[in-house]
Amino acid sequence: MAELIIYSERIKDNIKKLSDFFEENHIEWSLVTKVFSGDKTFLKAILTSDVTEKINSIGDSRLTSLRNLREVNPDLRTIYIKPPANIYADDVVEYADISLNSSLSTIESLNEAAKKKNKIHKIIIMIEMGELREGVKRDDILGFYEKVFNLSNIEVIGIGSNLGCMYGVEPTYDKLLQLSLYKELISAKFNKDLKYVSGGTSITLPLVENKVVPKDINHFRIGEAAFFGVSPLENKRFKDLHTETFEFYANVIELEKKKIVPDGIISEASIGHTSEYDENDVQETSYKAILDFGLLDVDKDDIEVEDKDISFVGITSDMLVIDVGLNKNESGKTKYKVGDKVKFKLSYMGVARLLISKFIDKVYVKDI
């Protein structure tokens, strides 16, 4: 079975380094664990007390993940990091101490759910800052906050925005300054103290490092930098974080010399994806290897084979075909054989998809 290698100690070291970095810059942060889809083995392996002691809360976008988190460690503070659906208000109040919101009707449902449980549910209201994702429109902010402040079992603890996730709108100083000014406007209008201005994600980290983040931006929601060691703005390593935190190995289950061009009438019935080929190569052959994973496990665009001599041929639901050319190394010896492993690099989405596949082995390695 193909294997996803997880270097748990490197990830834990990344989280500790980020905690120290944020502490130095007087910023609180939430660790976003959605890449692991609530996997209990991960939660137990990574979220040890020495790792979580300086983290404000643990965030996820799936209620089942927050429920699993509660089961593993009931004492951790949790945050639901996307606007909830009305129908799940009871579960949000049950499993999340804090939630991000942008819909008045949903917040009213959360208020009713909190009443039933005799709880005060904390929320951060998201503002639309140009990304065209979740967020209250800026010209509706004052009216929206006025209605929410009147709810008995809802405590508004902050204002937030989400930049860089869909269209890639950069979280510039000016964008973040606008967000902090809205916080001041709301505080002055309603005489309310909004504790958090949640304007940062992994993409914003270089701005903090370069001291170009407005002082009121005091809460970050971080996932990618913690688990992959990079800031996605330029996809570069951030400070001295570990970037080699995941590896993927697939097994060669067949290796034969075959034609480059398929033989027969090509229909549109295929469920897989293939590379293009040149009809002029109809007589040409090369060595093809079949690997033991497919589209049900991960998208081909989210993986990159480490051996640059290998090229993609095609992928189906449960197998990937690669071209290994003459299958010889520089000294002329056979390069691959059945039973060998082929190594891949992974994107964020590649890791996320492999982690939820029940057909992929997950191996935790304590090596820093």
Side-chain angles (χ1 to χ4, degrees):
M1 188 178 291
E3 292 182 332
L4 176 65
I5 309 300
I6 303 163
Y7 288 94
S8 54
E9 291 302 315
R10 297 177 190 178
I11 293 172
K12 291 172 70 172
D13 193 53
N14 280 354
I15 296 171
K16 291 177 182 179
K17 287 176 177 176
L18 284 168
S19 288
D20 291 340
F21 172 76
F22 284 124
E23 188 175 47
E24 291 168 6
N25 287 278
H26 311 291
I27 292 171
E28 294 188 46
W29 74 295
S30 298
L31 174 66
V32 177
T33 61
K34 63 182 181 180
V35 69
F36 278 87
S37 301
D39 183 271
K40 289 184 180 179
T41 303
F42 156 75
L43 297 175
K44 292 175 182 176
I46 304 296
L47 301 182
T48 52
S49 59
D50 59 317
V51 170
T52 60
E53 61 182 351
K54 294 183 180 180
I55 298 174
N56 174 285
S57 53
I58 308 297
D60 211 295
S61 59
R62 297 286 186 269
L63 284 170
T64 51
S65 299
L66 291 183
R67 183 185 64 203
N68 289 348
L69 182 64
R70 280 274 196 256
E71 291 176 4
V72 170
N73 190 337
D75 297 327
L76 287 177
R77 194 183 194 199
T78 55
I79 178 170
Y80 190 59
I81 62 165
K82 72 176 181 182
N86 254 331
I87 193 172
Y88 298 122
D90 287 334
D91 289 334
V92 172
V93 171
E94 179 69 24
Y95 300 120
D97 297 300
I98 308 163
S99 61
L100 308 184
N101 286 271
S102 59
S103 166
L104 181 60
S105 63
T106 300
I107 298 172
E108 289 171 342
S109 296
L110 291 170
N111 184 58
E112 292 304 312
K115 275 184 186 178
K116 288 187 293 184
K117 297 178 185 295
N118 196 27
K119 288 184 175 182
I120 299 296
H121 184 68
K122 297 178 172 62
I123 67 169
I124 293 174
I125 296 177
M126 303 299 283
I127 308 301
E128 208 311 286
M129 299 292 292
E131 181 74 359
L132 302 181
R133 218 177 78 161
E134 78 274 22
V136 179
K137 291 191 295 184
R138 281 168 272 185
D139 54 2
D140 294 339
I141 289 176
L142 293 180
F144 191 97
Y145 268 86
E146 183 175 23
K147 293 170 183 174
V148 175
F149 281 141
N150 290 325
L151 297 175
S152 60
N153 289 66
I154 294 294
E155 180 184 355
V156 184
I157 62 170
I159 186 171
S161 70
N162 208 329
L163 294 168
C165 287
M166 192 166 75
Y167 281 100
V169 175
E170 291 187 21
T172 61
Y173 178 87
D174 288 343
K175 285 283 186 185
L176 296 176
L177 181 61
Q178 288 177 44
L179 187 64
S180 64
L181 289 174
Y182 285 127
K183 178 256 187 183
E184 292 181 13
L185 176 65
I186 293 162
S187 297
K189 172 73 175 177
F190 300 106
N191 192 29
K192 296 279 189 178
D193 178 33
L194 297 181
K195 184 175 181 180
Y196 298 114
V197 182
S198 184
T201 59
S202 293
I203 200 172
T204 323
L205 286 171
L207 276 70
V208 180
E209 184 179 29
N210 295 325
K211 308 297 183 184
V212 288
V213 170
K215 61 180 180 61
D216 282 341
I217 306 297
N218 61 359
H219 180 259
F220 273 53
R221 309 178 306 275
I222 301 292
E224 193 161 352
F227 299 115
F228 295 87
V230 299
S231 171
L233 183 61
E234 296 179 343
N235 204 33
K236 290 183 177 179
R237 179 184 184 187
F238 182 68
K239 297 180 77 67
D240 60 344
L241 299 183
H242 302 280
T243 56
E244 295 181 354
T245 48
F246 299 92
E247 294 173 352
F248 180 51
Y249 291 90
N251 299 291
V252 177
I253 57 176
E254 178 190 295
L255 202 158
E256 297 288 345
K257 192 174 186 180
K258 297 182 180 181
K259 288 185 175 181
I260 290 177
V261 178
D263 180 14
I265 299 172
I266 306 298
S267 72
E268 296 183 1
S270 169
I271 63 169
H273 301 292
T274 58
S275 61
E276 295 182 356
Y277 55 86
D278 189 338
E279 292 285 359
N280 294 324
D281 293 332
V282 67
Q283 300 300 325
E284 298 296 322
T285 60
S286 64
Y287 282 90
K288 307 292 193 304
I290 299 179
L291 307 181
D292 62 338
F293 73 97
L295 282 170
L296 291 177
D297 306 301
V298 67
D299 191 290
K300 71 176 184 65
D301 293 331
D302 293 323
I303 59 176
E304 179 185 352
V305 68
E306 191 169 79
D307 185 343
K308 299 303 181 184
D309 293 330
I310 289 175
S311 59
F312 169 77
V313 176
I315 187 170
T316 63
S317 61
D318 54 7
M319 288 184 284
L320 179 106
V321 182
I322 55 175
D323 190 319
V324 296
L326 298 175
N327 196 29
K328 301 289 184 183
N329 59 26
E330 292 180 356
S331 61
K333 293 183 179 180
T334 298
K335 196 170 187 179
Y336 294 101
K337 63 182 183 299
V338 170
D340 285 350
K341 294 182 180 296
V342 177
K343 182 179 178 181
F344 292 85
K345 298 178 182 177
L346 300 164
S347 69
Y348 179 96
M349 287 306 302
V351 170
R353 286 170 173 149
L354 287 168
L355 279 164
I356 62 174
S357 173
K358 61 183 178 181
F359 308 111
I360 302 296
D361 275 344
K362 288 83 177 178
V363 180
Y364 288 82
V365 177
K366 293 183 177 181
D367 174 19
I368 202 162

